[in-house]
Amino acid sequence: MALFTRKSARSTGPTTTTAPEAATPTATTTATAAVPAAAPGLAALTGDYTIDPAHSDIAFTVRHAMVTNVRGSFGDHEGRLHLDGSDPARSTASVDVRIASVDTGIKDRDQHLVGADFFDAETYPLMTFRSTAVEPLGEDVYRVTGDLTIKDVTRPLSIDLEFNGAATDVYGNERVGFEGSTQILRSDWGLTWNAALETGGVLVGDKVKLTFDISAVKSAPAA
């Protein structure tokens, strides 16, 4: 997806962005400062990676009944990254998420989410993201822009990601990790079901926060 140099001090968190659209929470524009050149050591990280679903998390948070939040995640997902340490802007990402794997901790609610009122997982089993650009924002932070598709609706989405490090695990696998978040309006992707509350407002908020905590394993070079 993107490569970052390790910082000496951790930042408070990544900046969230979404697709550039006027007058909606999905329209966040951030001025970029001068970007440092890629560190020479990053070249060693260049290669293809596979996201490890057992050590990664793709999750969401949405307002419920105007007063609290519902949190959930998708347990079944897969993805591939190409990291370019010499020119991080040439990095790419491809992620597929199986909608039926949604888990909010309540079975009846999960069944409602995968049904026709929301995701209609039987007709549209996958949510996908395909990167189209990577932009360095500064030390350890990149903006990854791409196409998010839900229920055959494709719209641009940007995510600011922070590098968490690179290491060789106990099995000899070379790993990289990163995390980020962004916000969307679910109605932009046709997820419009709702119910009015007697006290005013609606049962489910339109704003959805997406969070990503990713560990990816480097693929062995082709023979």
Side-chain angles (χ1 to χ4, degrees):
M1 196 172 263
L3 290 174
F4 316 91
T5 56
R6 176 176 293 282
K7 293 186 288 189
S8 58
R10 181 114 179 155
S11 71
T12 56
T15 303
T16 63
T17 70
T18 57
E21 272 202 315
T24 74
T26 59
T28 303
T29 304
T30 304
T32 58
V35 177
L42 287 178
L45 298 181
T46 296
D48 296 317
Y49 291 74
T50 300
I51 292 176
D52 177 7
H55 297 93
S56 301
D57 187 54
I58 297 177
F60 61 89
T61 303
V62 63
R63 202 67 144 168
H64 178 260
M66 309 295 291
V67 296
T68 189
N69 291 314
V70 167
R71 294 174 175 83
S73 62
F74 296 94
D76 188 354
H77 53 81
E78 61 183 27
R80 295 185 179 278
L81 318 176
H82 175 73
L83 308 184
D84 190 323
S86 300
D87 185 1
R90 294 169 62 90
S91 300
T92 61
S94 174
V95 181
D96 294 338
V97 177
R98 189 159 294 279
I99 295 297
S101 69
V102 67
D103 182 5
T104 65
I106 298 178
K107 185 176 180 180
D108 287 346
R109 181 165 59 203
D110 295 343
Q111 290 177 341
H112 191 198
L113 287 172
V114 302
D117 283 343
F118 282 96
F119 286 107
D120 192 4
E122 185 173 347
T123 305
Y124 309 102
L126 293 179
M127 171 172 59
T128 66
F129 179 81
R130 302 290 185 264
S131 68
T132 56
V134 175
E135 175 189 2
L137 299 182
E139 189 179 23
D140 282 346
V141 181
Y142 277 41
R143 176 166 297 154
V144 180
T145 298
D147 293 325
L148 176 66
T149 300
I150 305 174
K151 296 181 69 173
D152 276 357
V153 177
T154 301
R155 296 177 64 87
L157 179 72
S158 292
I159 310 163
D160 288 0
L161 294 173
E162 183 176 7
F163 185 56
N164 284 341
T168 301
D169 66 22
V170 295
Y171 302 104
N173 299 311
E174 296 180 59
R175 290 180 178 266
V176 293
F178 50 89
E179 61 184 319
S181 63
T182 191
Q183 182 175 280
I184 67 171
L185 296 179
R186 63 186 179 92
S187 58
D188 286 345
W189 279 267
L191 302 173
T192 57
W193 183 91
N194 228 321
L197 301 175
E198 291 184 6
T199 54
V202 292
L203 183 64
V204 185
D206 194 20
K207 299 177 185 178
V208 180
K209 182 179 181 181
L210 304 175
T211 58
F212 311 89
D213 194 351
I214 302 298
S215 177
V217 177
K218 193 172 188 179
S219 303

